[in-house]
């Protein structure tokens, strides 16, 4: 499939690969790399190993996420990915803290790229039979000058992977069909995995994005920027809204990130990510108040569009009425 032929494909579980050209790979190296990361990100750096990659967030002092990334161990260094549109601002902010760590650097790898692999057959075709050993999210496999990472399955249990290629001369898996970015985005939404945009940067505490259920927050690691707010929300049960998966029907365009969701005319949440999966329908992830999830939801400014809840492929106990602090 030529990814430019159908920019709004119906999501399916067909095996293939997607060039994630919206992502950059950054290397953090030097004697202070681990201490720098430990002080700025929500993940415990000691748990990022040669065989395990974990998500992480970097937050403001108020606990609002301005970066959602994945940490990968490569030798003595740490790798992370950044959204290309947000990378400059993110790196500029982080470098204010990096200055405290003499001899430690943080640089974009211009030749690196990330391929998204959909389906276990795609991973085996691209990286060999050893890919079959990756059975749970976060497990990694060295592939020459690259790293294969198992990530979260879609809601229909289609396996997904990221193949971090660190050298620019690696060939694409031409024996597989190339799937467009919209296909990968729809699969991420199906898996309940959000990403930040310019509209949602610094809008949410990590738990509002369900990142504690996506290997993105370590609650016992100690101090880091924003930790006090994040820990208080967790240990005192103060989370009143979180990430839901929804289907929308009746529109040939997906709602923009930040579009408000209404219940009985009142704002109860915002769209985080959305993608068309057919000509007049699609799926989205939205942060919504727990006490509004049983109501009739509507998209602001899209009066003819219907919105229905869809199950996430992982449990979110905070969304259950019996465990809500706000009921």
């Amino acid at each position: 499939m030529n990814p430019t032929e159908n920019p709004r494909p119906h999501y399916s579980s067909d095996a293939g690969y997607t060039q994630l050209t919206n992502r950059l790979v950054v290397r953090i190296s030097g004697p202070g790399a681990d201490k720098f990361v430990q002080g700025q990100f929500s993940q415990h750096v000691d748990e990022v190993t040669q065989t395990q990659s974990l998500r992480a967030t970097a937050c403001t002092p108020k606990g609002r996420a301005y970066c959602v990334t994945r940490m990968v161990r490569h030798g003595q260094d740490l790798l992370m990915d950044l959204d290309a549109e947000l990378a400059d601002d993110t790196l500029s902010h982080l470098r204010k803290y990096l200055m405290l760590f003499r001899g430690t650097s943080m640089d974009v790898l211009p030749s690196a790229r990330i391929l998204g692999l959909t389906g276990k057959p795609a991973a085996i075709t691209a990286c060999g039979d050893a890919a079959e050993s990756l059975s749970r999210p976060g497990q990694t496999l060295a592939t020459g000058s690259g790293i294969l990472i198992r990530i979260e399955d879609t809601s229909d249990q289609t396996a997904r992977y990221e193949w971090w290629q660190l050298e620019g001369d690696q060939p694409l898996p031409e024996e597989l069909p190339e799937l467009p970015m919209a296909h990968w985005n729809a699969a991420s939404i199906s898996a309940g995995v959000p990403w930040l945009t310019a509209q949602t940067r610094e809008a949410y505490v990590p738990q509002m994005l369900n990142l504690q259920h996506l290997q993105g927050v370590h609650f016992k690691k100690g101090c880091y920027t924003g930790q006090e707010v994040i820990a208080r929300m967790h240990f005192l049960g103060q989370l009143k809204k979180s990430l839901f998966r929804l289907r929308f029907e009746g529109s040939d365009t997906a709602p923009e990130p930040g579009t408000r969701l209404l219940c009985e005319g009142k704002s109860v949440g915002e769209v985080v990510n959305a993608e068309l999966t057919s000509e007049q329908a699609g799926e989205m992830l939205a942060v919504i108040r727990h006490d509004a999830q049983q109501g009739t939801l509507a998209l602001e400014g899209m009066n003819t569009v219907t919105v229905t809840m869809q199950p996430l492929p992982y449990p979110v106990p905070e969304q259950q009425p019996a465990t809500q602090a706000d009921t």
Side-chain angles (χ1 to χ4, degrees):
M1 176 191 301
N2 184 330
T4 63
E5 288 179 357
N6 183 3
R8 300 183 305 207
H10 178 75
Y11 169 68
S12 71
S13 57
D14 294 340
Y17 76 94
T18 303
Q19 297 190 61
L20 304 184
T21 54
N22 61 331
R23 308 254 294 275
L24 303 177
V25 177
V26 174
R27 182 184 296 277
I28 307 171
S29 59
D34 280 23
K35 286 186 178 180
F36 163 68
V37 169
Q38 187 76 347
Q40 293 306 315
F41 290 88
S42 60
Q43 190 53 258
H44 200 307
V45 70
D46 289 349
E47 298 192 7
V48 181
T49 68
Q50 302 291 346
T51 58
Q52 178 170 261
S53 165
L54 296 171
R55 299 185 192 278
T57 67
C59 298
T60 68
K62 294 183 178 180
R64 302 285 167 157
Y66 65 85
C67 170
V68 174
T69 186
R70 173 174 290 283
M71 293 288 176
V72 177
R73 182 71 68 177
H74 187 239
Q76 298 299 312
D77 300 342
L78 287 164
L79 305 176
M80 67 178 180
D81 67 310
L82 296 178
D83 182 278
E85 292 186 358
L86 304 179
D88 286 346
D89 286 345
T90 298
L91 291 171
S92 294
H93 186 79
L94 288 171
R95 285 192 173 113
K96 296 176 184 177
Y97 300 94
L98 186 68
M99 294 172 59
L100 302 174
F101 297 88
R102 200 171 201 177
T104 301
S105 61
M106 180 175 58
D107 299 300
V108 175
L109 298 180
S111 63
R113 69 184 175 197
I114 301 177
L115 300 184
L117 301 176
T118 301
K120 185 180 290 187
I124 293 172
T125 298
C127 300
D129 291 341
E132 198 161 4
S133 67
L134 303 183
S135 60
R136 58 175 175 78
Q139 288 183 315
T140 67
L141 174 71
T143 62
S145 61
I147 301 168
L148 182 67
I149 307 165
R150 179 71 182 260
I151 64 172
E152 292 79 7
D153 296 352
T154 63
S155 59
D156 65 359
Q157 299 184 325
T158 299
R160 299 196 307 147
Y161 307 78
E162 290 182 358
W163 187 13
W164 291 36
Q165 298 182 336
L166 305 182
E167 301 294 338
D169 58 355
Q170 291 181 261
L172 293 168
E174 295 181 356
E175 59 271 41
L176 291 170
E178 183 174 0
L179 305 174
M181 186 71 73
H183 184 284
W184 182 261
N185 288 345
S188 295
I189 292 171
S190 175
V193 178
W195 63 95
L196 293 180
T197 61
Q199 298 94 323
T200 57
R201 190 172 185 266
E202 298 187 20
Y204 303 112
V205 172
Q207 295 100 303
M208 295 178 186
L209 298 171
N210 294 357
L211 289 167
Q212 75 277 31
H213 303 301
L214 295 167
Q215 301 179 318
V217 184
H218 194 293
F219 290 112
K220 298 180 180 180
K221 61 163 283 185
C223 293
Y224 59 94
T225 302
Q227 181 263 348
E228 183 178 354
V229 174
I230 294 167
R232 186 189 307 123
M233 182 170 287
H234 173 69
F235 291 112
L236 298 182
Q238 295 177 340
L239 186 66
K240 296 184 178 182
K241 56 184 178 180
S242 59
L243 195 74
F244 289 81
R245 173 176 165 238
L246 307 99
R247 178 173 175 79
F248 63 90
E249 297 183 84
S251 175
D252 59 2
T253 58
E256 291 292 324
T259 301
R260 294 200 303 174
L261 280 147
L262 308 177
C263 182
E264 297 181 357
K266 296 181 180 180
S267 177
V268 295
E270 307 84 30
V271 174
V272 176
N273 310 112
E275 192 68 58
L276 286 172
T277 55
S278 64
E279 288 301 316
Q280 290 287 323
E283 289 196 358
M284 60 185 175
L285 297 173
V287 171
I288 299 172
R289 287 187 58 89
H290 296 157
D291 58 11
Q293 62 182 296
Q294 301 301 327
T296 300
L297 298 174
L299 287 161
E300 186 176 47
M302 302 178 75
N303 298 333
T304 62
V305 177
T306 59
V307 176
T308 54
M309 286 284 184
Q310 301 294 305
L312 285 163
Y314 52 82
V316 185
E318 298 92 336
Q319 294 177 356
Q320 301 304 315
T323 64
Q324 289 179 24
D326 57 324
T327 55

